[in-house]
Amino acid sequence: MGQPLRIGMVGAGKISGQYLDTLARLDGVRLTAVTDLDPARAKEAAQSSGAEVVGGVEALVARDDVDAVLNLTIPAVHAEVALAAIGAGKHVYGEKPLATTRAEAAAVLAAARTAGVRVGSAPDTVLGTGTQTARKAVDDGLIGIPVAATAFMTTAGHEAWHPDPEFYYRPGGGPLLDMGPYYLSALVQLLGPVVRVTGAAATPRSEREIGSGPRAGQRFAVEVDTHVTGVLEHAGGALSTLVMSFDIHAAHLPRIEVHGTSGSLGVPDPNGFEGPVELFTAGSWQPLPVSAGYRGAGRGTGLADLAAAVAEDRPHLASAEVAEHVLDVMLTLLDAAHEGRSLPVASTCERPAAVPLRG
């Protein structure tokens, strides 16, 4: 690949540690600069990676030793940081969601096309062996024609473990926009884009209490729906049932299952890269061997793939086009829930390319 893609990281919060672990073991990328609103966090991240601390986004995107920006900020400023990077001629890879509104997402993609730079977006968990082995089983016809899927993400809320959880309960957060990208990106991988949605949503509690860290016991307002359920109609005709909740203390629900005309498929947690894939045919469940996806993947694999795609002049796998469609599906589902009717999804995307077994 030649020289590694030089990365400037914006945001050194909780998720950054997983990225730092992954980037440290990949040859195609090298972290060169870090900035964060908290200088101490930036310093800690820089010390662990050998990067330089930079005073702000504007200074970071202007650096000659930054080819791409890793955007790990809160959702409310994802688009703002991405546009600053693009304006400086840098590629961007960001945490999910791509943006908090359709207009912001469209502006990011339009700016990138004009500037001739790449935009990638989490989740890259769908590139791991879990989702990709399930994808191969569907593509190989092991369950026949897909007719239905279920996707469940249930938790009592992130405030129990996160010391600064308010952003999860503000616009751009909530269980759907926070965790939905993992599940919807997996469903798009497995079944293709979504054309219509029907939904319902609720906010059972108007306040939450921080459960850990120095601010434990403080209460804050909830500004988003915290329980969302929906039915998604995929372009191929399959129907997915979705439940995303910050209001369920415990459940025995599977993460994702896909059901076809001749069998069923158990798909591992899409918030991870690996996990068992189980096939039900002939009266019993059987594990499938790992057959596709990046082995040993971690958060940042999508950025490494973007770096390789730039060098090889090919499309990158964790694309902003899929992320834009997933955002539109989520926002349309919320619109449908609030309006009490089914709605068409205006956007679409190509079903992402399958990932052969790598690593």
Side-chain angles (χ1 to χ4, degrees):
M1 285 182 57
Q3 295 298 314
L5 198 71
R6 298 167 298 179
I7 308 300
M9 186 171 78
V10 180
K14 211 166 181 67
I15 195 65
S16 66
Q18 295 185 45
Y19 279 89
L20 292 171
D21 289 344
T22 303
L23 297 181
R25 56 185 172 83
L26 297 174
D27 295 331
V29 291
R30 179 168 63 90
L31 190 67
T32 56
V34 179
T35 190
D36 189 273
L37 292 174
D38 183 342
R41 291 197 310 197
K43 182 178 180 180
E44 182 179 355
Q47 285 177 337
S48 69
S49 62
E52 184 175 338
V53 176
V54 180
V57 174
E58 185 177 348
L60 183 139
V61 301
R63 290 175 66 96
D64 292 334
D65 64 349
V66 170
D67 304 311
V69 171
L70 174 57
N71 183 3
L72 304 184
T73 55
I74 62 172
V77 294
H78 280 180
E80 178 184 339
V81 173
L83 288 169
I86 293 167
K90 315 295 184 182
H91 306 297
V92 184
Y93 182 90
E95 254 302 321
K96 48 73 193 169
L98 176 64
T100 59
T101 69
R102 297 177 183 88
E104 287 179 344
V108 169
L109 268 66
R113 286 191 292 268
T114 299
V117 299
R118 306 280 189 118
V119 178
S121 178
D124 53 2
T125 49
V126 294
L127 308 182
T129 55
T131 298
Q132 289 299 320
T133 293
R135 159 81 183 259
K136 189 173 189 303
V138 171
D139 291 351
D140 288 348
L142 299 188
I143 61 169
I145 298 171
V147 297
T150 57
F152 302 115
M153 193 294 300
T154 58
T155 178
H158 295 343
E159 68 274 13
W161 57 269
H162 199 292
D164 299 296
E166 288 95 333
F167 71 93
Y168 289 115
Y169 297 90
R170 291 172 178 161
L176 185 59
L177 265 71
D178 175 50
M179 296 300 294
Y182 297 108
Y183 290 78
L184 287 166
S185 297
L187 290 172
V188 170
Q189 282 274 346
L190 296 164
L191 301 172
V194 177
V195 296
R196 178 172 289 274
V197 297
T198 303
T203 309
R205 287 179 280 170
S206 61
E207 287 188 335
R208 298 273 176 144
E209 182 176 308
I210 300 174
S212 65
R215 301 169 59 224
Q218 291 185 21
R219 300 188 66 82
F220 60 92
V222 175
E223 302 175 26
V224 295
D225 297 311
T226 53
H227 185 97
V228 181
T229 186
V231 176
L232 320 176
E233 180 183 342
H234 295 267
L239 300 178
S240 290
T241 301
L242 184 77
V243 174
M244 301 281 114
S245 183
F246 284 170
D247 291 297
I248 296 178
H249 288 275
H252 292 294
L253 297 167
R255 298 298 188 180
I256 295 179
E257 289 183 346
V258 183
H259 307 284
T261 53
S262 59
S264 293
L265 199 63
V267 183
D269 184 353
N271 192 20
F273 291 84
E274 302 173 343
V277 178
E278 295 184 304
L279 175 67
F280 182 91
T281 56
S284 66
W285 289 95
Q286 298 294 331
L288 290 178
V290 169
S291 60
Y294 279 100
R295 291 184 185 270
R299 297 187 195 278
T301 294
L303 176 57
D305 177 79
L306 185 150
V310 170
E312 298 165 10
D313 192 26
R314 63 165 173 84
H316 53 283
L317 295 171
S319 76
E321 288 75 18
V322 172
E324 182 184 32
H325 176 61
V326 166
L327 175 66
D328 189 24
V329 172
M330 294 188 296
L331 295 177
T332 305
L333 179 55
L334 291 174
D335 289 342
H338 297 154
E339 295 176 23
R341 62 192 180 106
S342 65
L343 291 173
V345 177
S347 69
T348 190
C349 67
E350 295 292 328
R351 189 181 179 212
V355 183
L357 191 60
R358 296 177 177 174

